[in-house]
């Protein structure tokens, strides 16, 4: 049992790391297209494609219950939060440097920790709160000039952080009851397509074949990333899974330098060090506590010696 629990946690951690590579690539495409198009144009196309991918995947390997959900209210809340987070991130990438958005991605473990108790009933150990506090110090260090350095783009990115984290926590909640992880990807993207398509006639611009191809690639990356994340959140607590997403910083720095000519200042790397270190500690602490609980359970279940 101990090996099985540790194996599940390791698989969950690996899936989150793969997720960071996929979602960072999708974010890079968002930044490439954000300057030339309005958000509804990208998200109407990508939302419809991701929903279609879900239908195709479900037909290829039908799951129990299909794409139906047993938690419609929770699924609706996740879907709305996903749409709002996508909008906020779109405009955050337009207004801020690529790696700078990581500041608010780094806040997500703290928000997840706050939400895990009331929504998921998951106890967050005091050592985890210390690690989350260290991560917050890292985030603050990314603003050496103080409050006056905050711009509208930062507030939009904060909204993306709050909505995005709520969406992920709700995914873990629904994932406790749903057998088919595709449903958690299907409904948010279906709503994304419906909402954005309503606004599309007012903002539509013809897209050359190259940009259309980027939009399709974005949808494929988003589908793969969100599917993996839903599965990972079943294997790891939200406050443990989200710090691993700080690996996005590495990808965002690399892509920012290669594609956008953006090179973060030294304080950005310092802050990222604090944030990533807190994430690593959270994962190690979770493994240790899971192992201790399993060992304690085995001892108490053994029959007394005669």
């Amino acid at each position: 049992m101990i090996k099985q629990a540790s194996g599940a946690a390791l698989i969950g951690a690996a899936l989150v790391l793969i997720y960071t590579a996929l979602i960072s690539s999708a974010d890079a495409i968002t930044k490439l297209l954000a300057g030339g198009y309005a958000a509804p144009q990208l998200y109407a196309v990508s939302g419809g494609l991701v929903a279609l991918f879900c239908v195709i995947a479900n037909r290829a390997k039908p799951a129990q219950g299909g794409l139906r959900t047993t938690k419609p209210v929770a699924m609706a809340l996740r879907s709305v939060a996903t749409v709002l987070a996508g909008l906020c991130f779109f405009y955050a990438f337009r207004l801020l440097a690529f790696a700078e958005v990581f500041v608010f991605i780094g806040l997500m473990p703290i928000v997840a920790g706050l939400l895990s108790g009331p929504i998921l009933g998951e106890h967050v150990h005091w050592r985890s709160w210390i690690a989350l506090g260290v991560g917050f110090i890292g985030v603050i260090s990314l603003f050496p000039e103080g409050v006056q350095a905050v711009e509208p783009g930062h507030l939009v990115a904060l909204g993306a952080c709050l909505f995005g984290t709520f969406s992920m926590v709700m995914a873990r909640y629904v994932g406790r009851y749903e057998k088919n992880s595709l449903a958690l990807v299907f409904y948010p993207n279906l709503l994304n397509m419906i909402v954005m398509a309503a606004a599309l006639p007012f903002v539509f611009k013809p897209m050359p074949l190259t940009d259309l191809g980027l939009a399709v690639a974005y949808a494929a990356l988003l589908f793969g990333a969100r599917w993996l994340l839903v599965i990972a959140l079943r294997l790891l607590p939200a406050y443990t899974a989200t710090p691993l997403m700080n690996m996005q910083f590495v990808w965002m720095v690399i892509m920012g330098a290669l594609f956008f000519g953006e090179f973060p200042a030294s304080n950005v790397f310092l802050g990222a060090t604090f944030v990533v270190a807190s994430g690593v500690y959270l994962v190690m602490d979770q493994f240790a506590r899971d192992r201790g609980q399993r060992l304690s359970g085995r001892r108490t279940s053994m029959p007394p010696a005669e």
Side-chain angles (χ1 to χ4, degrees), residues 197-267:
L200 191 57
F202 304 100
V203 297
F204 179 78
K205 289 174 59 177
M207 298 182 75
L209 192 59
T210 302
D211 288 352
L212 185 60
L214 286 173
V216 173
Y218 169 82
L221 290 167
L222 195 65
F223 169 71
R226 286 182 174 172
W227 193 3
L228 287 179
L229 183 60
V230 166
I231 297 172
L233 288 174
R234 289 180 173 177
L235 302 174
L236 288 175
Y239 67 85
T240 301
T242 47
L244 287 171
M245 297 175 195
N246 292 325
M247 182 64 185
Q248 283 181 252
F249 177 75
V250 177
W251 300 117
M252 294 172 90
V253 168
I254 294 173
M255 293 178 185
L258 290 177
F259 301 116
F260 307 109
E262 298 171 351
F263 298 92
S266 58
N267 64 293

Side-chain angles (χ1 to χ4, degrees), residues 62-117:
Q64 183 181 359
L67 293 175
R68 292 190 298 272
T69 177
T70 60
K71 294 292 178 180
V73 175
M75 186 70 80
L77 290 172
R78 166 172 160 76
S79 299
V80 171
T82 301
V83 172
L84 293 174
L87 279 172
C88 290
F89 271 122
F90 182 90
Y91 289 107
F93 284 123
R94 174 181 284 184
L95 296 170
L96 300 176
F98 195 49
E100 198 170 351
V101 180
F102 172 81
V103 174
F104 301 92
I105 295 174
L107 282 174
M108 294 175 80
I110 299 172
V111 179
L114 293 172
L115 295 179
S116 292

Side-chain angles (χ1 to χ4, degrees), residues 178-203:
E178 299 288 358
K179 297 296 184 182
N180 186 5
S181 58
L182 280 173
L184 284 160
V185 181
F186 174 74
Y187 288 105
N189 284 281
L190 180 64
L191 181 64
N192 214 1
M193 180 193 70
I194 294 171
V195 172
M196 298 305 170
L200 191 57
F202 304 100
V203 297

